[in-house]
Structures are given as C-alpha cells and as structure tokens.
Amino acid sequence: MSAINRGVRALKNSAKRYSLAALARNAFNGHNQWTEAWRNAKPREAYDVVIIGGGGHGLATAYYLASVHGIRNIAVLEKGWIGGGNTGRNTTIIRSNYLWDESAALYEHALKLWEGLSQDLNFNLMFSQRGVLTLAHSEHEMKEMSRRVNAIRLNGIDSEVLNPMEIKALVPIIDINPGLRYPVMGGFLQKRGGTARHDAVAWGYARAADDFGVDIIQNCAVTAIRREGDQVTGVETNQGFIKAAKIGCVASGHSGVLAAMAGLRLPIESRPLQALVSEPIKPVIDTVVMSNAVHMYISQSDKGELVLGAGTDAYNSYAQRGSLPIIEHMLEAAVELYPIVSRVRVLRTWGGIVDTCPDASPIISKTSIKGLYFNCGWGTGGFKATPGSGHVFADLIARDTPNAIAAPFALSRFESGHLIDEHGAAGVAH
Amino acid sequence: MSHQPYRLASGGHIDRDHEIEFTFNGRLYRGHPGDTLASALLANGVHFVGRGFKYHRPRGIFAAGAEEPNALIQLGHGPRTEPNLRATQVALYDGLTATSQNVWPSLRFDLASVNQWVSRFLPAGFYYKTFMWPASQWMRYEHVIRKAAGLGKAPTDRDPDRYEKMHDHVDVLIVGGGPAGLAAALAAAATGARVMVTEAKAGFGGHICFDGAQQIDGQPAAEWVTAAVAKLQAMPEVTVLPRTTVTGYYDHNYITALERVTDHLGNTPTHLVRQRFWKIRAKQVVLATGAIERPLVFADNDRPGIMLASAVREYVNSYGVLPGRETVIFTNNDDAYRTALALDDAHARITAIVDLRAEADAVAGDLVAAARDRGIKTYFNHAIIAVSGHRRVTGCSIMELAEDGTTVTGPVTSLVADCIAMSGGWSPSVHLFSQSRGTLSWDDEQACFIPDVAHEATVSVGASAGDFSLAGALKNGLKGGMEAARASGAKGRQPAAPKVDPVTEMPLRAIWQVPTNAGKGKQFVDFQNDVTAADIRLAAQEGYLSVEHTKRYTTTGMGTDQGRTSNVNALAILANARDAHIPDVGTTTFRPPLEPVAIGAFAGRAVGGQFEPVRSTPMDPWHHANGATFEHVGQWMRAWYYPRGSETMREAVDRECVAARTGVGILDASTLGKIDVKGPDAAEFLNRIYTNGWLKLAVGRARYGLMLGEDGMVKDDGVTVRLAEDHFHMTTTTGGTAAVLDWLEEWSQTEWPDLQVYFTSVTEQWAVASICGPKARDLLAELSDDIDLSDAALPFMGVSTGTVAGLPARVFRISFTGELSFEINVPSRHGLALWTALMAAGEKYDITPYGTESMHVLRAEKGFIIVGQETDGSVTPGDLGMDWIVASKKADFVGKRSLARTDSLRADRKQLVGLLSTDPEVVLPEGAQVVADLKPAPPMTMLGHVTSSYYSANCGRSIAMALIAGGRARLGETVHLPLSDGNLTAVVTEPQFFDPKGERLNG
C-alpha cells in the first residue's frame, strides 16, 4: 500500500480557519465573527460533477474531487439536511480488521485517512482510537478468530489476540465467568480502531468542500436522471434541472430508487438497522466491544452515553424505524455480557435504512450509462469507510477508471461471480 | 434535623399522619408518604439540588413531573443505585438516600463550576473548533472530556431485581388518566369494549387535582376523579394501570408501557418484580397525554427558585408545600394566574405578577379578573430583564416592553422574590403521536404544535390535542373514547358530558426570547444541556440551519428529558434567527422510549440462565454421568470427548478414534437438524434445492445432498431419506437447521408456490445414536430381530424401519466416518433408553462412546467436509472437489446459473486440499494462513487457510485440510504457514488420509 494522496489541505490560509487565535478573538467579541460552516447554496445551471447524496460518503467524494483532483465545479445535492441519513444514525465504529484482502485494503485505506483527518479538514472529528475488541465465545469462534487475526496480520494491519483475563483488564464491566451461556473465551483487538463524532464528519467535509467552492444544496430532491443515449446529461430536481456530465450517486438507503430513475437495477435490499443510546453515565467502558454470539456491540460516547447496536431487521423497508424485538435482543445481550448496565436506562432508539448487497460488500462502480457512477451497498458498516469511500470514488469519477482498491467492488462482480462475501467471513454484522 | 419549614399547615394529598426520614447529600430530612423527593426537598426549603452539565451553574427543582430537566439525582447506593432520576418522579419512602451527581467535591463547592467563568470560550460546538493542536494530543484531551462528561454513576454490581414482560390485546388503549383520558375510558368502557387506561403518575386526574377549586357535575373535581377511577376498576373488561408510562408507539398500534411495581416502596418485596414491561396490541388508541408548560427564555432563568408556574401550583395544592415565601409570577398567558390564586389561597405572599401582555389583551380573562379582585399587583406589558441571586434567586428587575416587544424601555423596577413562577404557554404532549408517524400542525393562536394527520388508528384528546379547557377535555375525551370503541367494533351511546363552569381565557403573547438590556445573563433554552438562546443563534449564524443541525450542533433537546420543555422555544428562536415561520423550520423526530427505560426492563427474564436456552439431547444425562466434556455448537451443548481417568483431550480422542475404526464407536447425533418434507411435489422441490438428482430416489433409500445459495456457494449439506413417494426426512447441519428451514420456506412461498410441499422441523422429535466400526452390525443385530441387517436388505444408503431394543426405530445405513455405520433414529422420549441399551449390549464389543472432536477427526481422515468449517460462503462444490454431486444435466437447481459464471470457473480458485505438516507430530493450527513465498514481515500474499487440523491416531500423524488458491495444481508443493510466534511448513496433498478407496464402508 503506497502513500495516500491526501490532497490539498482545506482552509489553509482562510480567515475561516479554526485556530486558538480565532477562538480567543471570538470569545471577546461575542462570537459574531464565526461565519457559515458552508454556504446554503442554490443550484447553478451546470456543474462538472453532481453528487447525489449529502451524507459523509457524498461529501467526502466532493471534497476529494476538489482537493485531490482539482475539480471544483461540483454540486452536492441533498434531499433533506446533510448528514441526515446513516451518517447521523450509526454507532460510529471505525476499524479495518477485515478478513478478505479486498475489504482489508479498502477499510485500511479509510483508516489511514481517518488518521489525521481532523487536521486535513480543520474540524475536530473527535476520531478516537480507543480500540475495537471482537469477542469469541466458542471453540468454533476461537478458530474463526485465529483465521481472521492471521489474515489481518499478514495484510499488514494491526491486530492482537487477548485472553479472558486481558479482556477483563481492558473492559472491567464485562462478565468473563466461564459459566456464562456463551462464555468469553478470547477476543482480538484492533488498537487503531475506535470511534468518531459522526455529525462532525459530515460537517467537516462540507465545510472543507465548500471552501474549495463546492456547492452544497440542501432540500434538493432528485426526481429524475436525464440522459441522451447512453450518456447522462443531468438531473431533474425539486429546484429545477441541473446539468452535469458526471453524476455520482451516494444515497444510502435509497440507491435502488435512484438506480431505477436511470433504468438500472442494483443487487440491493434495503433494511432497517437500529441503534440506541443510554442516558449519559460516568465512563464505564473505554473500548468498543463487539460480539457475534451474544449479538450486539457497545461503546461509550464522549458525552457518557452507552451506544449500542446489533443486526438489521429481517424485512425490507424504507421507513427509518425498526421493530421492537431487535432492541429487546440487543439489550438482553447487553445485560448478559455487562450485568451492571441493567439499571442504566435507554434514552433513545432509532433506525436507519441500510442498502445491503448479497455479499455484504459495497458497490463502487461505473455503470452501463456513461457518466453515471454508484457508491452504495455499504450495509451495516459504511461509516468507518467514509474517507476511503469518498477518496476512491472521487478517483473513479475523476479518471473514469477504478483504482486497485475500488476495482474489486465494481458491479461487474455480480456477473462474474467474484463476490467478496463478508456475510460468512465477518461474523459480526457491523 | 429540622421540621419542614415550607410545609403548609393543610392541603395536598400527602399522609400527614406519618413522617418519614430521608437523606439528601448526606443530610437528614423529613417528609411524608405521598411526597416526591422533590416536594419533600422543597418542604425543607431545598431548591439547589444540582448543577448544569456544561457550565456547572447551580440548578434547582424546576418542574413537578417527567419534564424536569435539572433535578437529576443519584438514588441509593450499592447494587440498586440508579443514576439520573428526576427528583420530581421519585416517590419518597422511609430511608431514601439521594445525592447530587456530576459535582466534585460537593454540590456547593464544585470545581467544574469554573466553567461558568470561562464560558465565553465554550460556545455551542466549541469542541469542533479546538483540541486539534497538536494533533497527537486529542486522546489526552478526550480523556479529560470523558471524565467531565456523563451524569450519574452506573451501579457496580449485578442488578438484584427482576423484570417481567406482559402481553395484552385490547380494543381501546387510553394513554393518560387526566380528565380527557378518564372521560374517554368511561365512554369506551360503557360499551363493553376491552379497555386499558394507563397513568404515568401514582394518582389519576392530571391537572384537575391541583388546578384549584373546580367542580364537575356539581362535585369537587377530585371527587369526580375518584369516582371515575373506582367505576373503571370495578368493570371486568377494564384494566387500570397507574404508575405506568407508555414508552413506545410502534407500527400497527403496537404499544410498549413500563409499569413501576415496586420503585415507590423502597424495599423491594422478594415476591414482586421491580417493573413490568407491557407489550400491548390495541385496535384503537386514545392519546390523552396532556401538555407541558414551557419556560420563558429570560436572562439567568436557570437560578434555583425559578420554576414552572404550574409546578409551583402543584407543589402547593398536591403536596402542601410552598416553593417560596415571596413569589413573582412571570407569564405570557392566563394559566399562571391559577398559580397566583393557589398561592393566595395558601396565604403566601405574591410580590407581583409580571405579564408580557398588554393589560388590554389580558384583562377580559376570568382568572386575570380574579387576581385583580384579590388585589394582586400585576405589571402588564413588562418583562424580567435580570435576576439576582446565585444559589437561590433573591429577586428580579423588570422593565416595560417597547411596543413591538423586542426591546425594553423605561425605568427599572426591582422585585423581591425567592421564587419565580414562569409560564411561557403550553405544548401538547405530541411525542407518542409523533412516534406513531402522525404529522403535526402549528396552531398560531395557542403557539403550539398539535396533532394533525394520524398514521395509526389513534385519536388525541384533551390538552394533548391542544384543547386546554376542562370542559373541552371532558367533552372531547368522551367523544374520542366513544369513537375509538365504535371503531374497535363495540356499540353503545355516548354518555352526556359532565357539567363544568366555563372559564374565559385570553390568548397568550408569544415572546420567545424575552428582551433585556442588562447585558450578560445567559438565557437558557435547554436547561439540562446548558443550551442558551445565543447558542441557537450562533448555530444559525454558522449555517446549521436545519433544525436537526441546530439540535446536533448545540445539543438542544438531546438531554435525558428529550427537550420536553425546550424544543418549542428552541425552534421558535431558530425560526426568528432564520427569519422564518416556526412551522417552516420543522420539528425533530420523537423516538422511543418516551421516557428513559431501564435496560433490564427491555431484557426482562431473558438474562442469566434464561438468556438463551441451552439445547440438549435426550441422551444428555448419560453424557454427564459418564464424565463427558462439552462444547458449544450453536445453541447446543454437545459431548466433546469422554476422558477416562486422567486422560488428556488428545489421549481420549486418540482412543475414541481408534476404537471407532477397530471395534464399535457410538456418537450422539441427535443434534443434526431434521426437517420433515411432505407433499406430492416434495421430490421435485428437493430436486430444485439440492445440486443432485432426487426424482428417482427409491423409497427406503437415502442420498447425500448439497445445497447452494443463489451465488453457487455451498450453503448446507446432509443426508435425506425417502420414506414414501411424497415423504422425505431431511437432515441438515446442526448449526444450519433454522436457516435451512427458512431457506426452504422462502423458496416454497415466494418462488415456487405452485409446488405442493410442506416442511416441519422435527429436530427435537428424533433422537439419534450413530454406531460405527467393524462390529457395528453385530451390535445392532443383538438388539433388533425385525430388521434384516444384511448387505442385500440394508445396503449402504439403505433405510429400514423396525424395532431396536424394543423401541420403534428408523435405521439409516449411512456413514460420516467411512466405517460400516448405522444411524438409529427413535422418538426423542426413547433416546436415553436406546443409548443405554446400546451401551449395555455393546459392552462385550468394548463399545466406545465418542464425542464431536473424534467425529471431526474421523471425518477429516476421510476428507469429508463440514459446512461452516471447510466452507465460508465463498466455496463452490467444485472448490471442494465435489463436482460429482452436481447434476449438470439437470434443468435447474438453486445456484446452477452462478456455477457457470466466469469466476466460478477460474482455475486459481481456492480449492480444498490436504496439508501434511513437515513434522508429523506438529498439528497445524486451524486458521493458519498459507503462503507460497515467505517474507520476513507482512504484508504477504495469502493463498488460503487451514480449515481443519487434527492429530490422527489412525494415520499415526497430524493431518489437515486447507483451502488454497489453485490448490490442486500444487499437490506435492511445500507451503509456509507464518504465525505470530514462528513459521511452519507443510506439503500439499489430496484431502483424504485414510482408506482413500472407501473399502471399509462394508465392515
């Protein structure tokens, strides 16, 4: 893996740059000098590139198009408010400890971009490398873990195996009693993994992209994708027609809907994925901990809320809400592994819609229509990929050719059969 | 210890005959049964109970119910301690202990309160702009931030209490036991409909219990409430649930509610659960959830002693407590005058009423007139511009409003006050309605959101529908209850509405941010998260224009109260900053739970031993009695190996494996998934689901089958037996059986509904003992005289029905070890008897029970795969060298198309091979990755991994299987296995290690 081109830094010499001096200056004049993080842009007639979807992935794509590829005449169209989809609904876990080479390359690319991203964007994303621990609860899971750890290590990614005592030392609230229904037999830790402040990721990319001149247009719903022959020409929106020769679709949860506008079908099913937070409590858990057999994952936010998630609902839906049994199972698992949380109270549950491919890996791809690109199908784990996804997708749009990291994730894999099946391999659905 | 200096001589619903003791922050106080912790603290003159989240400014009791943002306390200690409880909701009991939280070292001297002096550096979202330099230090900054954040503390022990799930179906669920809810319940119940009515508080009646001397049908309102509740409780089809909060409103009128059974008792009686989590399916729902009073946003409106006006009234009338001796009432509406009247009735001093409205706009109201008649001083068209006092309000300054209400003018008047009762109008509690996907509309006159279009079968009544009058609540409650009952199928006539005297009230004046010229005071909007009006304006200034952005950037509305008292004020101030209309700014989405619910309540009984049931076979007692070691296999605990004496696992497994090939071994195979497949099209269905042919399988014969996913990858395998033309007995892997049943149903229901075939899980109906080895036939012959065991009558893959050990049995001659082998299936209830009989009869053959580990070794010696071990969703039959089972001439089967894709035909796919460790005594670790070119350090190109690896006593050396890229072309090559603690080498071989020609099947 060669050095990553992180592009030109945003806001480098800008008066808008956040600095201690700026903070001090504003502190003494009533904070009246802070300007818009991004302009509330209205659409212009034409752009070089239109990105449909103002989530983390779409905004990152626009940012890297501008900062790495020098393409500045870009619009990001957002149906609602930026970061309002899965970017603002996920459990913020970041890791790159994937089994398959293709996935490892993609997520490690993202993780390397996460490292230093706050500085790149001049926005504190609170990227916190507090470690991600994955538990094993049976002989079978121990062997699966061994396979994964060996693969991760040989791919040059950090990973270490912990025994139950080491896990207890790292996560004091965990129950490692061997008599547990699914006892904690071991686990593996990626120390470089962790969490980030999800909303800030959207805002940080938006602000930096805006500084390069990218128009971020909210409340702009795409209603049709126009083409002449097999070449896209622009999009119809509720704010009028916008001309563009290149269109990147990054609309998690609704990728199938967008594809249908272009007469395409994607191998995607859209399902609700739920998460919840507890009331804020003083810190009890510093590491992100995931378990498959006792199915849920947990971390604690900087505000003190326990953040929990588990698997998707089994049915297809576009409504951003899920069913109660998923929440119940998640919390049964929480009490089983962390008995002290029983009296901690659930504050808020919510759902998002995840686009899931048959092999549980994303699509980063050209299509049969010239100038139309899709970045979707991230399933339950897209947040962690945000910078990497945007980076390689920008590269694909700019050069019209996938790079080595993106190439395995092309749509053509569903024809060739070269799937990257993370269902069987990843174990934990996140 | 003091007496209760702020307790009135009379009034309230407390039990004055008994005094109970409690401590707060280590100090002993007294209260009465019927108090909340908040009312008892106020009775003792304690307002200052906590500090703000960010600036750590002193905070007092603010409200009297669920909307309380400030008075969050840590209740109790030890395993039952609970953080973040609202003092306003904690019922007082003898011996209660509570402490303030998130203060250090103490509430009065809290170190973090320095934050309020540097608050100019801490505007909304300041953390996004800083802590970035130097880049490497964020983790250190974060460590400090994390310690400062969080509110109370989680217990450090296991929860000693139990929780229970309750399920019910009702015709009409009525949420809320105030006047509208009770009227709805009376109307619905009168029809005979099955009705449930829930009330979050201990007592029913809502506001009418403390609004003052109101009459319903000529009797005091409280008596009407008591009579109504008694009437409902006496009706057999009505369930009345006090202390029950409806928390979630899901699709199709699926409702969750939390009933607090023992929290108010202090000591949990051991026979009671702590809380019941109700799951209710209602045909119709009536929402009578009331309304929440809004604070006014004025300078330093967070000082202890500043409270909601209705809360002051509730403390006076319901608890006989005087929140202050000199009260200023600050209002923009008539309702706060009820508080003035209540205080006056209690002979408390009212310094003045400060009304934002012009006299002309207010004077026609009945309540305003009553206050004037009593001589209460009122400043119309005035605003509080500043507040004095730090840990307790001591007074305020007021000025007249300029004409447009955006600035103040004229002289400053100072008022003395130890309590300010404020009212900014009322917001209907639309949270549940919004959860149910109902839409809201903005009522400009009342300045509030009201329910608009319902998405579920639900109707809102009373204050939650924006109807704030008692007469309206009763009338529309009756109507709503009646309509709901009728819609649920009941019949009846609507009772006449009770008579109440009408009260004329004048409209409020919406001034969302009270003007001031007094400079720096913070105007709080969200008290719990310390969000000020300036923060909201800053968010708008910085372009966080969407209400969701403002919320997330400032954290307004994101506290544990979910913005009960702050949302509308925040929205209005944002609208003003954006120069937009409030309804155009939109609302945020309300999500379950309505109020925080203990994680334990969601988990219910599914904890500890009941987290997930352990599945065990009928033979399990024998395994336990005979010293088996167990392993987890999916939900099962299976006998792993049977050590004798001081045997190690390796010694036991070696012995078991040798015995199975030289004498007779016996395995408990009961956990294998079993699915009964029946119907005229059963054979056709199997023919499509499996890769091989099934149409010509003879009755009484078995066949091994492989199932693929649509992607052509191996999904499951097993032997299926044809019991009759239209009847098959399918077996699946132990772990995959539920998924296979789902798979069959999916294809049957969605793709081939024309095929007549039915599936029934029979895994638990049959117990299976598998005996194998050269002496297996001799053993079975001893126990069965009606089954011909000869090769001719029962050949390999043959099936017979008869008796074994006198038990009705199906005997399959199939083999997973490569030895002569019989699987004896008996009804589960006979499983242990069968096993015991086989063990007894087998004694003379030195029968050896073997567990799953030996089963794995024995099949690996033969190169038989285990789905989930040799496969992982990326493996085709061809990869496994099992092309022989793919009927390529068959018209179609699931996955066939995918097998023809280019990637499925690649020569360098990962293929199953054998691996022989260079050192035969070294067992290669399963999961080890295989490389051709060993490099000094990662990254390295991986060829594949070791899928199975054992020491084989029968082979006299270690054996392993692996999936390796282009593996079959590598036979004979030496490969490397780089491990974290060294490297191993192995030679690639065929994946069969014992009896490669399969000659032992016939014994």
Side-chain angles (χ1 to χ4, degrees), chain A residues 31 34 37 82 128 130 143 147 175 181-182 199 282 302 321 328 342-343 346 349 414 416, chain B residues 102 120 142 158-159 161 165 279 435 541-542 549 552 597 600 612 632 635 872 901 903 926:
Chain A
H31 296 280
W34 299 119
I82 62 164
S128 173
R130 54 188 56 262
K143 289 171 180 174
R147 178 189 178 194
D175 188 351
R181 175 67 182 89
Y182 296 108
D199 294 322
K282 287 291 172 193
D302 286 351
R321 50 200 273 130
E328 291 178 294
S342 176
R343 291 175 98 85
V346 175
T349 67
F414 299 102
S416 72
Chain B
N102 200 25
R120 64 169 66 224
E142 189 188 36
R158 193 175 288 273
D159 191 343
D161 289 330
K165 300 275 174 77
K279 300 197 265 187
Q435 270 189 32
Q541 174 189 325
E542 292 193 74
H549 284 155
R552 288 153 182 261
V597 174
E612 197 170 288
H632 289 81
Q635 295 171 316
D872 58 10
R901 294 193 288 194
D903 197 71
E926 285 180 8

Side-chain angles (χ1 to χ4, degrees), chain B residues 598-613:
Chain B
I599 287 174
F602 280 102
R605 296 254 172 148
V607 294
Q610 285 152 161
F611 167 63
E612 197 170 288

Side-chain angles (χ1 to χ4, degrees), chain A residues 17-311:
Chain A
R17 186 173 173 77
Y18 296 151
S19 63
L20 286 175
L23 204 61
R25 199 166 59 240
N26 269 285
F28 291 98
N29 54 28
H31 296 280
N32 60 17
Q33 288 180 8
W34 299 119
T35 53
E36 288 172 312
W38 62 89
R39 292 162 295 122
N40 190 27
K42 293 292 158 210
R44 283 182 276 134
E45 196 176 313
Y47 293 93
D48 294 341
V49 180
V50 160
I51 302 293
I52 304 174
H57 291 232
L59 292 162
T61 304
Y63 170 76
Y64 291 115
L65 276 168
S67 78
V68 175
H69 302 279
I71 300 170
R72 305 282 162 96
N73 185 24
I74 302 170
V76 178
L77 310 184
E78 168 53 49
K79 183 169 73 173
W81 38 284
I82 62 164
N86 294 340
T87 300
R89 292 165 192 269
N90 67 84
T91 49
T92 82
I93 298 171
I94 295 165
R95 61 184 177 87
S96 67
N97 52 1
Y98 277 69
L99 172 68
W100 298 117
D101 297 348
E102 298 90 339
S103 307
L106 177 59
Y107 291 101
E108 178 63 12
H109 183 63
L111 183 50
K112 284 184 175 153
L113 283 163
W114 278 113
E115 293 170 328
L117 191 57
S118 292
Q119 282 69 36
D120 288 349
L121 301 180
N122 181 235
F123 203 95
N124 188 354
L125 310 177
M126 304 183 197
F127 173 53
S128 173
Q129 293 181 294
R130 54 188 56 262
V132 175
L133 173 67
T134 307
L135 301 175
H137 299 272
S138 66
E139 288 294 326
H140 183 73
E141 285 196 336
M142 288 294 285
K143 289 171 180 174
E144 281 297 316
M145 174 174 92
S146 160
R147 178 189 178 194
R148 284 184 67 183
V149 168
N150 282 317
I152 293 161
R153 209 169 44 80
L154 291 178
N155 269 322
I157 297 169
D158 72 303
S159 185
E160 55 192 89
V161 173
L162 303 187
N163 67 32
M165 292 308 292
E166 291 164 329
I167 289 170
K168 182 76 181 171
L170 189 67
V171 186
I173 64 169
I174 201 168
D175 188 351
I176 57 163
N177 175 358
L180 223 55
R181 175 67 182 89
Y182 296 108
V184 175
M185 296 176 73
F188 66 101
L189 175 70
Q190 183 176 27
K191 279 188 174 164
R192 288 165 63 236
T195 58
R197 174 85 181 91
H198 53 6
D199 294 322
V201 175
W203 302 339
Y205 272 122
R207 176 167 166 271
D210 174 90
D211 188 59
F212 286 130
V214 173
D215 279 355
I216 292 156
I217 304 163
Q218 301 185 88
N219 300 308
C220 184
V222 171
T223 53
I225 293 173
R226 291 269 169 258
R227 56 199 253 205
E228 271 172 27
D230 63 350
Q231 164 70 49
V232 292
T233 54
V235 291
E236 293 286 354
T237 75
N238 60 354
Q239 298 190 29
F241 178 73
I242 301 170
K243 201 172 152 190
K246 288 187 173 184
I247 297 171
C249 300
V250 205
S252 170
H254 287 77
S255 304
V257 179
L258 274 182
M261 288 182 193
L264 301 174
R265 273 190 81 189
L266 297 175
I268 270 181
E269 291 187 342
S270 301
R271 296 207 182 103
L273 176 68
Q274 299 186 74
L276 63 87
V277 291
S278 76
E279 293 188 315
I281 51 172
K282 287 291 172 193
V284 294
I285 183 167
D286 282 334
T287 311
V288 180
V289 189
M290 322 176 68
S291 167
N292 194 27
V294 187
H295 197 149
M296 59 118 213
Y297 36 89
I298 187 168
S299 64
Q300 187 168 14
S301 76
D302 286 351
K303 202 184 169 194
E305 298 154 329
L306 298 177
V307 184
L308 280 78

